Amino acid sequence: MSDYLNLIAGQWQPSVTGRTFENRNPADEGDLVGTFPQSSWAAMPAPKRGDVLFKAANLLEARADAIAREMTREEGKTLPEARGEVGRTVNILRYYGGEGARLFGRVIPSERDRVFMHTLRSPLGVVGAITPWNFPIAIPAWKSCPALISGNAVVLKPSELAPLCATRLAEILVEAGLPAGVLNVVHGSGEAGGAIVAHEHVRAISFTGSEATGGKVAEACGRRKVRVQLEMGGKNPTIVLADADLDEAAGIVLNAAFGSTGQRCTATSRAIVERSVVEAFSEKLVAKARAMKVGPGLDAGIDVGPSINAAHADRVVTEVAAAASAGATVLAGGTRLTEGVLGKGHFVAPTVLGNVTPQMTIAQEEVFGPVAAVMPADDFEHALALANDVRFGLSATICTRSLSHALQFAQRIEAGLVMVNLPSAGVEYQVAFGGSKASSLGPREQGPEAIDFYTTLKTVYMKY
Ligand code: NDP
């Protein structure tokens, strides 16, 4: 009698569960032919799956600086921003590691005598994650971790523009004990993403990227009737009321518009300011924007790194020029920066536009660059109407000292993330993330809600 193993990627390996099953001779029940591994990531107790994520968090924490440097080299964001993203990914791994002990079902009272009803969560099977370049380790993590802790296998397709960080995440998860075949990373272009979306064994797709690609992914998932979750663009407003602390408000817009070179789906791209303070606010914002230091993200003291590539930087300045032709005033920036070392990369000056009106393309379409458009508003009602007058609805901020306006804003703004006296970007991993209208489709990512997307609910009825 022998103990047999699994053959995975050319290597004989034991079961991740440590459990086995017996193979017996049908002519003689006493003849045990061998024992074979009972293999399944899904069968491993969820808290044990969590141990793998906890170990991965420790490994990532130990390598944080090296991976942050690699991120700055491949994506361009400044080193402090890259360190922040790696730190956040450590938190994501720990948070979903802990969720392994919290995959709760519910006990529901039956209307019948001696009937016990409860719900159980089951994994979906194989799920696909398709990710963009702007958060090259955090987005792969916040999709993979809830999928893995729920017991799914994952096929991850990172962006061709920043594939290294996702590879580092996968290496760390494997080193932490993730069994072979549970996380798969497929590099390549949209063609590779399309193949994952179309594959008959993939039961759900979580996608972050552009609206155009998101539409294609949703159509393909609809045809196959599999779950889909889309996170796409934004045209996020920051409303500044006349009662706000204007210096603080300018700092909030500065952070949200120019942080990560404006390449965040939650970036503020419209500052909607009460007319009585629009001049004073714009002066402060312009002064702060001009003082920002633009340069290579690995250099000390840099505030704003490059755009992801030349085509993207060109697109940003073209859109600024189009806004100027349509009547907007360029108050700061508006051009590529090419002097000295900047000539080697794709740098755009932090740009502030004044007198932007809602009909202009710059007020409606996402730029994904360091551009803030200042739009004057008559009062709170007018500002709210302008804020909602776009097809997107991801994140929105109000700067005010009025509790009444803050609460009305929270109720009436068409956005999934609502901030009061805080930047529109800068979200936390332990709460739901997502938007409304054309920004998002499907259940929320992050926080405990993320588990809903990656599990199916069974309702169990038992007569006793
Ligand atoms: P894309 O939509 O071009 O790409 C996103 C991912 O989808 C990439 O991995 C890409 O591969 C892949 N892909 C491309 N075509 C297909 C296809 N037909 N089927 C399946 N997958 C495909 O977006 P970007 O990566 O260029 O990201 C920038 C955009 O993403 C911005 O416009 C921004 O608004 C949005 N975004 C939204 C976020 C949110 O949370 N709401 C967060 C970050 C970005 P490859 O790139 O290798 O070709």
Side-chain angles (χ1 to χ4, degrees):
M1 196 276 294
S2 296
D3 292 335
Y4 294 93
L5 298 174
N6 293 317
L7 176 62
I8 298 171
Q11 293 193 332
W12 294 103
Q13 298 183 9
S15 151
V16 297
T17 62
R19 296 207 301 267
T20 54
F21 64 91
E22 293 178 346
N23 178 15
R24 285 184 183 272
N25 179 350
D28 176 4
E29 265 303 299
D31 177 19
L32 182 61
V33 181
T35 62
F36 290 80
Q38 187 68 266
S39 310
S40 164
W41 172 244
M44 184 191 272
K48 289 267 183 290
R49 295 197 293 261
D51 288 345
V52 174
L53 300 195
F54 289 138
K55 272 190 207 146
N58 294 344
L59 289 170
L60 180 58
E61 200 166 42
R63 291 172 207 170
D65 199 60
I67 292 177
R69 282 174 187 280
E70 288 179 334
M71 187 186 303
T72 296
R73 278 185 64 212
E74 78 166 346
E75 201 271 351
K77 64 182 64 184
T78 66
L79 196 51
E81 287 170 339
R83 286 195 180 115
E85 183 176 340
V86 175
R88 178 177 178 182
T89 306
V90 170
N91 289 340
I92 290 168
L93 285 159
R94 292 211 170 107
Y95 178 78
Y96 285 108
E99 282 298 282
R102 287 187 295 266
L103 289 177
F104 300 135
R106 288 210 279 176
V107 173
I108 305 101
S110 171
E111 60 180 14
R112 288 171 284 178
D113 186 36
R114 284 187 291 148
V115 169
F116 173 62
M117 301 195 301
H118 67 285
T119 56
L120 292 175
R121 286 182 185 276
S122 300
L124 303 178
V126 182
V127 301
I130 299 175
T131 57
W133 44 266
N134 62 338
F135 287 97
I137 198 164
I139 298 181
W142 84 53
K143 291 186 191 300
S144 301
C145 292
L148 292 173
I149 199 65
S150 301
N152 298 284
V154 176
V155 186
L156 168 65
K157 211 298 280 172
S159 167
E160 264 185 306
L161 297 175
L164 180 57
C165 287
T167 304
R168 294 286 181 245
L169 176 70
E171 285 170 356
I172 281 172
L173 281 162
V174 169
E175 208 176 315
L178 198 69
V182 173
L183 174 63
N184 308 273
V185 182
V186 181
H187 292 292
S189 64
E191 203 183 331
I196 295 168
V197 172
H199 198 283
E200 58 174 332
H201 289 151
V202 175
R203 302 312 308 157
I205 295 286
S206 181
F207 168 87
T208 299
S210 64
E211 214 189 341
T213 308
K216 287 187 208 161
V217 169
E219 277 174 30
C221 288
R223 275 196 297 277
R224 291 210 302 114
K225 299 174 195 65
V226 297
R227 286 187 190 185
V228 64
Q229 177 181 58
L230 307 179
E231 289 300 339
M232 299 168 288
K235 192 70 205 170
N236 310 301
T238 291
I239 292 180
V240 180
L241 295 186
D243 69 352
D245 176 327
L246 290 189
D247 204 47
E248 193 181 292
I252 284 170
V253 171
L254 189 88
N255 171 307
F258 306 134
S260 300
T261 319
Q263 299 176 138
R264 293 185 283 195
C265 51
T266 50
T268 283
S269 55
R270 298 177 297 150
I272 302 171
V273 186
E274 262 195 289
R275 210 176 292 277
S276 59
V277 295
V278 73
E279 208 165 307
F281 169 84
S282 300
E283 265 173 33
K284 285 179 187 291
L285 182 62
V286 165
K288 287 181 194 289
R290 288 202 178 127
M292 291 192 108
K293 203 163 167 217
V294 180
L298 287 175
D299 290 1
I302 295 297
D303 301 307
V304 181
S307 297
I308 184 71
N309 58 23
H312 194 66
D314 286 340
R315 215 195 87 205
V316 172
V317 291
T318 302
E319 290 186 22
V320 170
S325 308
T329 316
V330 181
L331 300 173
T335 54
R336 294 275 302 260
L337 297 173
T338 52
E339 256 179 48
V341 68
L342 300 188
K344 293 194 206 170
H346 321 297
F347 296 92
V348 175
T351 300
V352 181
L353 297 171
N355 296 318
V356 172
T357 56
Q359 298 75 28
M360 293 178 190
T361 308
I362 201 91
Q364 297 293 332
E365 298 300 330
E366 186 175 52
V367 177
F368 227 56
V371 180
V374 180
M375 305 174 71
D378 300 335
D379 53 18
F380 171 75
E381 287 297 332
H382 184 212
L384 187 64
L386 287 173
N388 283 335
D389 181 27
V390 288
R391 65 178 196 290
F392 297 107
L394 187 54
S395 184
T397 289
I398 190 164
C399 295
T400 182
R401 289 188 174 99
S402 157
L403 181 60
S404 171
H405 282 141
L407 287 170
Q408 287 187 61
F409 178 73
Q411 281 169 11
R412 294 167 60 197
I413 188 72
E414 294 164 1
L417 306 163
V418 182
M419 312 286 180
V420 177
N421 297 320
L422 285 170
S424 61
V427 296
E428 300 190 29
Y429 58 90
Q430 71 279 34
V431 280
F433 172 87
S436 59
K437 303 202 282 190
S439 290
S440 302
L441 184 77
R444 290 290 187 246
E445 298 199 74
Q446 305 195 62
E449 284 80 3
I451 300 293
D452 293 339
F453 181 70
Y454 294 106
T455 54
T456 186
L457 214 57
K458 280 182 191 155
T459 308
V460 184
Y461 296 74
M462 297 169 72
K463 176 78 183 170
Y464 61 94

